[in-house]
Amino acid sequence: EALKRLSDQTKKQLEENQHTNKELQSTNRELNDLKKSYNKLNDNYIVIKEKNEELLQMVDSSSSYEDLIETLSMKVQNLETQVHELTLTNADLESSQELMEELDSSQRQEIDSYKKEIEKLEVNYNEKRNEVISLNQLLNETKQTNEKQKKYIESLKEEISKHENILTSQNENIINQQQTIRQ
């Protein structure tokens, strides 16, 4: 009987231990779930803390943004001034371009006029050159003719001289014969 009680008590203790073990396992699961929730909350806390720091930095840099906005506003004003000046310069350039186009047109007309004058002068030059060539040919022909005439005259002079010599000789012979007859 004591053994039976001890056996019953051990069974009861064993059942209680099993029940307690089940409760501990359940509590352990809940604890693990709580740890996971804690870790998630801790991660969220870290993220929120980082975002908060970023927001604080943004708030600190907002004064820098105000400076940046002021600087950019000044740059915009400067750019507007430059755009205005460039617009004026562009207008000046357009009027200069119109003037250049007028001058260019005038110069083209002058160039065309000069080209026509040059063409006339070239035609005149070619005509004069042809005249000079013709005159040179005529001069050469005349020189040749003169040379021929000189040679002919020289030959005539020689002929005349021969004939004069012959005549003189005949004259002398006649005179000699006359003198011989007179004697």
Side-chain angles (χ1 to χ4, degrees):
E1 216 174 280
L3 272 168
K4 194 172 181 190
R5 262 196 256 154
L6 188 58
S7 173
D8 285 341
Q9 210 175 18
T10 305
K11 278 184 186 179
K12 191 176 181 183
Q13 188 70 31
L14 197 71
E15 284 177 10
E16 284 179 14
N17 281 345
Q18 283 178 352
H19 181 58
T20 304
N21 193 20
K22 284 182 183 178
E23 283 180 3
L24 283 175
Q25 284 178 353
S26 176
T27 305
N28 194 22
R29 274 188 237 125
E30 287 177 10
L31 183 62
N32 282 336
D33 288 341
L34 282 174
K35 281 183 183 179
K36 286 180 185 176
S37 292
Y38 171 78
N39 286 337
K40 283 182 183 178
L41 286 173
N42 193 33
D43 289 343
N44 285 339
Y45 170 76
I46 290 171
V47 168
I48 289 171
K49 187 177 178 183
E50 288 174 356
K51 285 184 179 181
N52 192 28
E53 286 176 6
E54 286 177 14
L55 287 172
L56 286 172
Q57 286 177 352
M58 289 174 72
V59 166
D60 287 342
S61 66
S62 69
S63 64
S64 298
Y65 286 130
E66 289 174 3
D67 292 341
L68 181 62
I69 288 172
E70 186 176 328
T71 303
L72 288 175
S73 295
M74 289 173 60
K75 285 185 179 182
V76 165
Q77 287 176 347
N78 287 338
L79 287 174
E80 287 173 350
T81 303
Q82 288 177 357
V83 165
H84 178 69
E85 289 172 359
L86 287 173
T87 303
L88 293 176
T89 303
N90 189 35
D92 288 345
L93 287 174
E94 286 176 355
S95 65
S96 294
Q97 183 178 3
E98 289 172 5
L99 180 62
M100 290 299 288
E101 288 173 356
E102 290 174 11
L103 287 173
D104 188 45
S105 173
S106 172
Q107 284 179 343
R108 270 190 250 128
Q109 290 173 352
E110 285 181 21
I111 288 171
D112 288 342
S113 170
Y114 289 144
K115 281 182 181 178
K116 288 177 184 175
E117 192 172 330
I118 288 172
E119 287 173 0
K120 287 178 185 177
L121 289 172
E122 284 178 343
V123 166
N124 192 18
Y125 169 77
N126 286 333
E127 288 174 355
K128 296 294 181 190
R129 191 182 83 214
N130 288 337
E131 283 180 25
V132 167
I133 289 172
S134 293
L135 287 173
N136 274 336
Q137 286 175 344
L138 182 62
L139 179 66
N140 284 334
E141 288 173 2
T142 305
K143 280 182 179 179
Q144 287 175 353
T145 303
N146 280 344
E147 285 297 314
K148 285 180 183 177
Q149 285 178 351
K150 279 182 182 179
K151 285 180 182 177
Y152 181 70
I153 288 173
E154 285 297 316
S155 91
L156 282 177
K157 280 183 179 179
E158 286 177 9
E159 275 298 310
I160 288 174
S161 177
K162 280 182 187 177
H163 284 296
E164 280 179 348
N165 286 339
I166 289 175
L167 279 176
T168 305
S169 171
Q170 282 178 353
N171 250 353
E172 284 177 5
N173 278 341
I174 289 179
I175 290 178
N176 278 340
Q177 278 181 1
Q178 276 180 355
Q179 282 177 354
T180 322
I181 290 183
R182 279 191 204 167
Q183 281 183 6

